[in-house]
Amino acid sequence: MATEQPQMSPEEMSAWVREQFQAANKYLAENGIISDRVLTKDSRYLAPYVAIWKFTTQDKKELWLINGDVPTDVAGKNAADNARDVLRYFSFQWQMKAQAILDDPKASTDPEQQRYAHYLVERAEALYDVVGMEDLWTAPEEQGNS
């Protein structure tokens, strides 16, 4: 996952966001979670790399979902207060999952598990880089006041 945003037309951007939103809802449904609505003020995306969605579910719970050029993953609303912190959370979780795979003697002989662990580490490091990019997280009204 690169951290520079390629130039996308508004139509391409809209299509990518729509595709990720549909994939997020499909993932939730496949896992027995029915979304009620997406909280757009809390959701963020860096197309075509990562989307962070905050959903409410039909049973009135809130959760975070991440997808895009990263593993699709879900966390409860208590994992983070905002999209930036949830990226940090997923980065840390993926590092821990990768380490658990790498420490597992059975996985050490499985090339597929090794590839997955390295994939998790790559994506975790890329997310952590995005967390550190201050200009991505400064609200437009704050940019004018700096």
Side-chain angles (χ1 to χ4, degrees):
M1 183 172 88
T3 51
E4 283 186 30
Q5 206 167 357
Q7 293 299 318
M8 295 178 80
S9 71
E11 294 80 18
E12 290 171 323
M13 177 80 72
S14 181
W16 184 87
V17 171
R18 187 173 42 258
E19 179 184 317
Q20 297 311 310
F21 179 72
Q22 291 169 347
N25 272 300
K26 181 180 180 200
Y27 180 87
L28 291 174
E30 288 171 348
N31 287 280
I33 302 167
I34 307 300
S35 68
D36 181 36
R37 65 187 176 106
V38 66
L39 303 174
T40 54
K41 69 178 177 52
D42 294 324
S43 301
R44 299 284 182 275
Y45 53 86
L46 180 62
Y49 303 114
V50 64
I52 304 101
W53 307 99
K54 190 170 188 185
F55 285 97
T56 59
T57 62
Q58 285 190 338
D59 58 359
K60 304 301 177 212
K61 294 182 177 151
E62 291 182 7
L63 58 84
W64 293 101
L65 184 139
I66 187 171
N67 68 347
D69 186 25
V70 296
T72 299
D73 209 342
V74 176
K77 79 168 187 163
N78 293 336
D81 292 329
N82 57 55
R84 186 180 194 179
D85 288 344
V86 87
L87 284 181
R88 189 178 288 116
Y89 170 84
F90 283 122
S91 174
F92 181 67
Q93 291 300 310
W94 295 346
Q95 288 279 7
M96 290 189 347
K97 284 180 187 177
Q99 194 59 54
I101 292 168
L102 295 171
D103 290 344
D104 181 350
K106 288 183 225 160
S108 68
T109 59
D110 183 343
E112 190 61 35
Q113 287 292 307
Q114 294 295 303
R115 276 192 293 278
Y116 183 62
H118 291 290
Y119 170 74
L120 286 174
V121 169
E122 289 171 9
R123 294 312 188 259
E125 289 174 352
L127 283 189
Y128 195 78
D129 289 345
V130 170
V131 168
M133 295 177 170
E134 290 300 326
D135 57 325
L136 290 178
W137 304 104
T138 305
E141 61 273 7
E142 291 173 9
Q143 289 177 352
N145 297 330
S146 327

